[in-house]
Every structure is written in structure tokens, then in C-alpha cells.
Amino acid sequence: MRTSHVDATIFPTAALLALAFGGTEKIHGGPLPLPAEPAEDFAGLWRTADGTVRLSLSEDWSYEGSIAGRRRSARGTYRRDSGGLVLNDESGLRTRVVLAEDALEMAGHQLYKA
């Protein structure tokens, strides 16, 4: 009888989003302060063309992100920085987001406003 080895490693949604969205940095010193200005320019639902990666940015600088096939979503806050946005999830990971003309770019993924 022949058996095969299957890697059944399970990652939490926050880690998968961090991988999908590009490099992460561990936060040192607690959460980031929220900006004073409104987030209207970014607020709304963003998603990939095939809908597998979704990112909902709220006007209160909070966000929720999901990947198709995963039960739990990542949540946290975001802020603007010189290169675009930084997502700061509840587990302490930071993910950089680059602002393009009509999309958000994260590690090769382009999200468009829905």
C-alpha cells in the first residue's frame, strides 16, 4: 500500500492576509495612533478582480480583511504613511499597502474599489 505525505499546516487568517498582502513587521511598543484626518478617500470595500481577497476599510480607520476559503477574517486599524497605508492587525502584524491610481497594491495583488 502506498501512502503520500500531505502537509496540513493551518495558518490563522491574519498570517495568511499578511502573506497575501506582502511583508509584515512585528509591532514593538503597542498599536499605532489613529490619524486625526478622515479616511473618506480610502473607506469602502476593496477586492481582487476574482474576489478572493477582500479588504473593507472603514472611515474610523478600522479594517477587516478576508481570503476566500478561510472562516476567520483579520481585523485591526490602518493609517496613512508616506508610501500609502499600513494595516495593523489585532495580532500585532503590520502590512504595507501601496496606493496606485485606481487600486491598492499588496505583494502582487491588486485590489479595486467595489
Side-chain angles (χ1 to χ4, degrees), residues 8-101:
T9 304
I10 299 173
F11 293 98
T13 302
L16 287 173
L17 282 170
L19 289 171
F21 293 165
T24 61
E25 305 165 19
K26 188 68 177 164
I27 292 179
H28 299 287
L32 299 170
L34 295 178
E37 74 270 9
E40 289 122 6
D41 293 345
F42 315 111
L45 177 63
W46 297 80
R47 62 187 187 131
T48 55
D50 63 3
T52 57
V53 179
R54 300 166 64 94
L55 180 64
S56 178
L57 300 175
S58 298
E59 289 187 20
D60 67 356
W61 296 99
S62 65
Y63 81 91
E64 183 172 349
S66 64
I67 297 174
R70 296 291 169 186
R71 284 184 256 165
R72 295 190 324 177
S73 58
R75 292 180 180 86
T77 59
Y78 68 99
R79 66 174 173 83
R80 186 171 180 109
D81 80 348
S82 61
L85 301 174
V86 176
L87 304 179
N88 178 28
D89 78 19
E90 293 172 337
S91 71
L93 295 175
R94 288 185 188 176
T95 302
R96 296 203 179 279
V97 178
V98 176
L99 301 175
E101 188 172 316

